Amino acid sequence: MRFPHSFFLLLLFVLPACSSTNRMLKAQPVQLSPFFEQPALAQDAAAQLGFQKVWTTPDPKVLAAGKAKRKLFIAPVTLRYLRPLSRGLASSEVAWGGVQRREVDVAARLRDEFVAAFRRSPAPLYQLANRPGRDTLTLQLAITELNPTSPKGNAVVTVLKFVATPMMGFAAYLTKGNMAIEGKVTDSATGRTFFQFADNESDQLTLISVRDYQPYGHAVNTMSHWAGQFEQMTRSPRGLKVKDSNSITLRPN
């Protein structure tokens, strides 16, 4: 099989590239929703924590009370702040019935991934709780954008990947989906928020992957990364970097 030199060399040399190259290829932050408190005070944390935006309360009492608790309730994910589809191919395929909007299923899967991340952690900081209580923290999550991958568009892009053409990169951009979330950790007893985060991820660049032909295959992969990053962040010493997900992958599934 003949590989296009430009695309193959891109994957060969950029995949193990430095973190700055990875950030350059990552999806850009999206506008924060009203779910995110204090948006003007959100800080860029992509290089340190993997999440594009974070905020921590400046109130020492709220922060101390939150840090003292070791139980975590992960609430059902809200879709209240979900924006309409914003990508042309995704909108068309949903309108034509080729792709279904599965936001309810995706919301349930997002919560499951965060639960699973704590259950499989070798040394979780928090014990999961079945309900909020005075001795718990509550993690609330909101999906703000969910554009499915275009399977039909990617079928065309796959052909372009194996022929020399400058249009391949532009076509791949049009078929990509994206998912954006926001999260907040609150004191279950007082309702006071002491930490928030937000991130937006688009489909990874691939040579060929089954996820390219699944409307929400890349989204599931993204959710797993988010959950792992968050769990690792909760138990990492201050100043220790949490690795972000890669923008390119050679994995076929």
Side-chain angles (χ1 to χ4, degrees):
M1 182 176 291
R2 178 175 175 270
F3 292 90
H5 293 295
S6 58
F7 190 73
F8 183 71
L9 290 177
L10 174 68
L11 291 180
L12 184 63
F13 291 108
V14 176
L15 184 61
C18 64
S19 59
S20 60
T21 301
N22 188 53
R23 290 197 300 271
M24 181 181 66
L25 296 174
K26 299 280 283 187
Q28 295 300 305
V30 299
Q31 181 180 359
L32 296 174
S33 79
F35 178 83
F36 197 102
E37 304 169 25
Q38 307 290 344
L41 300 179
Q43 297 181 324
D44 183 358
Q48 186 68 30
L49 299 176
F51 294 111
Q52 293 168 333
K53 299 293 181 181
V54 301
W55 173 88
T56 304
T57 179
D59 189 323
K61 291 184 179 179
V62 175
L63 189 59
K67 287 185 174 181
K69 298 185 178 183
R70 289 294 178 268
K71 291 184 179 181
L72 180 69
F73 170 67
I74 302 178
V77 176
T78 181
L79 295 169
R80 179 180 177 184
Y81 305 92
L82 180 62
R83 301 182 180 109
L85 294 174
S86 59
R87 301 202 173 185
L89 282 179
S91 299
S92 297
E93 292 200 32
V94 169
W96 297 336
V99 171
Q100 294 182 338
R101 290 215 71 179
R102 303 286 297 274
E103 59 263 36
V104 174
D105 293 337
V106 172
R109 180 62 179 264
L110 179 60
R111 183 178 186 272
D112 289 345
E113 290 291 344
F114 272 75
V115 169
F118 281 91
R119 287 180 174 168
R120 64 173 173 255
S121 171
L125 179 66
Y126 296 114
Q127 175 187 348
L128 294 181
N130 294 325
R131 60 183 62 85
R134 297 194 61 82
D135 60 343
T136 70
L137 299 174
T138 296
L139 171 61
Q140 301 175 52
L141 296 164
I143 299 175
T144 58
E145 291 195 7
L146 182 61
N147 285 288
T149 300
S150 171
K152 291 183 178 179
N154 274 335
V156 176
V157 169
T158 299
V159 175
L160 297 181
K161 287 177 181 178
F162 294 97
V163 296
T165 171
M167 291 299 293
M168 187 278 298
F170 178 68
Y173 172 78
L174 294 177
T175 64
K176 278 188 173 186
N178 82 296
M179 183 175 179
I181 63 168
E182 296 172 6
K184 65 175 70 173
V185 181
T186 63
D187 186 317
S188 302
T190 65
R192 298 286 298 273
T193 300
F194 74 90
F195 180 74
Q196 299 176 95
F197 63 94
D199 200 42
N200 175 43
E201 293 282 0
S202 58
D203 298 354
Q204 290 178 307
L205 183 62
T206 68
L207 179 59
I208 187 168
S209 171
V210 295
R211 294 197 300 273
D212 290 339
Y213 313 108
Q214 301 168 342
Y216 300 100
H218 283 283
V220 169
N221 189 55
T222 293
M223 289 186 279
S224 178
H225 280 297
W226 276 330
Q229 287 171 221
F230 180 81
E231 188 281 325
Q232 183 182 351
M233 180 183 64
T234 63
R235 58 183 168 87
S236 295
R238 184 178 179 84
L240 186 67
K241 289 186 177 181
V242 176
K243 184 179 179 182
D244 195 4
S245 59
N246 288 320
S247 56
I248 301 173
T249 181
L250 292 177
R251 289 177 52 209
N253 52 35

